[in-house]
Amino acid sequence: LGTLLRSLDAPPTIINGAADHLHLLTSIPATRSIADIVRDMKAISSGWIHREFPLLSKFAWQTGYAAFSVSATDVDSVREYIRSQERHHRRVSFQEEYLRLLHEAGIAIDDRFLWE
């Protein structure tokens, strides 16, 4: 995934996640939109998974995603947060954490689209 993101002009600082979600910290240039990077990352990686792992032919990314900007002064703490996902999610579920992050960011939640 790191090579793919670099090819999309979005070099990753760290990538980690769990069985049901992925976290990545990356730099995206002003000439590219987050939506374009996510769309291309999902499409290219899905194609690779389908080619390399035929038994995963039903694999698909979920429709949505969340993206949060991070100030340069917070990069180290976000990197550590992403690095410690396995330990972190023993205490807090992904769903609980996602709702908390959306709330803290002041993002309105529409339950119809939340877990699609």
Side-chain angles (χ1 to χ4, degrees):
L1 196 51
T3 301
L4 170 57
L5 287 165
R6 282 187 288 281
S7 75
L8 297 173
D9 297 323
T13 299
I14 186 169
I15 302 169
N16 197 9
D20 61 352
H21 69 284
L22 174 71
H23 290 268
L24 62 95
L25 178 61
T26 186
S27 297
I28 298 177
T31 57
R32 299 290 313 265
S33 73
I34 293 169
D36 287 348
I37 296 291
V38 172
R39 180 200 62 221
D40 294 349
M41 180 192 73
K42 287 180 175 184
I44 295 167
S45 62
S46 292
W48 178 82
I49 288 169
H50 295 151
R51 282 190 309 280
E52 297 296 318
F53 304 97
L55 294 176
L56 297 177
S57 63
K58 295 184 187 231
F59 171 83
W61 290 99
Q62 70 181 37
T63 304
Y65 64 92
F68 301 90
S69 59
V70 177
S71 70
T73 57
D74 288 331
V75 166
D76 289 339
S77 62
V78 171
R79 184 185 297 120
E80 182 53 33
Y81 163 77
I82 292 172
R83 183 178 290 122
S84 64
Q85 283 299 291
E86 183 179 345
R87 181 181 64 230
H88 178 72
H89 284 303
R90 284 186 217 136
R91 296 184 315 267
V92 179
S93 74
F94 165 69
Q95 290 80 5
E96 292 169 321
E97 177 177 42
Y98 187 56
L99 291 172
R100 179 185 57 79
L101 289 169
L102 293 174
H103 177 73
E104 287 177 359
I107 297 172
I109 299 168
D110 186 335
D111 291 337
R112 295 175 299 162
F113 305 110
L114 191 57
W115 306 116
E116 64 179 344

